[in-house]
């Protein structure tokens, strides 16, 4: 199924993503990170299916997110791809990942605040001080958001 991701025929790519969705394993992280950003804007179903596969992978293998800050094989593009689905993954490692990398979306107020809200719901106790500092530094956060 992995070979289908690099095929130029959209039907083959769709079939490949559908096959991958059935059993995401950690070894699929790199192929999905390579594939998702290159999906044409004109194929929202393929984008949705591939992002869903990435989300399922991150839900089943939270340790992949826990190790991200130490991984040198992830580019900014890879991290942005993960951030794009991270709000749908309800776990402590995901909350930590969002806190660590949300600066990549500093100009996107809605995403930044959604990342902080997600972290507030799912952060580990050890990350609470970091979360409070992030909320205090959020330039666009109004009082309702801060007290939320």
């Amino acid at each position: 199924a992995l070979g289908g991701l690099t095929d130029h025929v959209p039907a083959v790519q769709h079939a490949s993503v559908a096959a991958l969705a059935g059993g995401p394993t950690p070894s699929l992280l790199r192929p999905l990170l390579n594939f998702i950003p290159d999906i044409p804007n004109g194929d929202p179903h393929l984008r949705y299916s591939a992002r869903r596969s990435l989300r399922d992978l991150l839900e089943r293998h939270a340790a992949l997110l826990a190790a991200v800050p130490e991984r040198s094989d992830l580019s900014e593009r890879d991290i942005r791809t993960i951030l794009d689905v991270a709000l749908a993954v309800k776990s402590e490692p995901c909350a930590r990942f969002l806190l660590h990398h949300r600066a990549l979306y500093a100009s996107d107020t809605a995403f930044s605040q959604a990342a902080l809200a997600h972290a507030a719901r799912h952060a580990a106790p050890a990350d609470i001080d970091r979360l409070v500092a992030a909320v205090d530094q959020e330039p666009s956060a109004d009082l309702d958001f801060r007290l939320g």
Side-chain angles (χ1 to χ4, degrees):
L2 284 177
L5 293 178
T6 58
D7 199 291
H8 296 296
V9 178
V12 174
Q13 292 176 331
H14 279 271
S16 181
V17 167
L20 295 176
T25 63
S27 63
L28 296 179
L29 181 62
R30 172 55 46 208
L32 286 169
L33 291 177
N34 290 343
F35 178 67
I36 291 171
D38 295 331
I39 296 172
N41 288 333
D43 198 341
H45 183 263
L46 182 59
R47 179 173 302 286
Y48 168 80
S49 298
R51 291 178 73 224
R52 187 185 65 213
S53 290
L54 179 58
R55 181 210 60 203
D56 292 349
L57 173 67
L58 296 175
E59 282 180 341
R60 292 182 187 162
H61 304 283
L64 289 172
L65 283 177
V68 166
E70 294 80 34
R71 291 180 62 165
S72 61
D73 64 322
L74 294 177
S75 67
E76 182 177 323
R77 175 179 147 158
D78 295 335
I79 291 169
R80 285 181 182 273
T81 300
I82 294 170
L83 283 171
D84 286 341
V85 301
L87 292 174
V89 181
K90 298 172 181 152
S91 69
E92 288 180 4
C94 185
R96 187 173 303 115
F97 179 84
L98 285 163
L99 279 174
H100 186 78
H101 294 289
R102 73 180 185 80
L104 289 175
Y105 282 95
S107 63
D108 185 343
T109 302
F111 181 86
S112 186
Q113 289 188 358
L116 288 173
H118 180 284
R121 282 186 216 97
H122 305 289
D127 293 326
I128 297 301
D129 289 340
R130 186 175 186 184
L131 173 62
V132 170
V135 170
D136 284 343
Q137 294 170 359
E138 180 64 26
S140 61
D142 60 19
L143 186 58
D144 287 338
F145 178 78
R146 290 177 191 272
L147 298 176

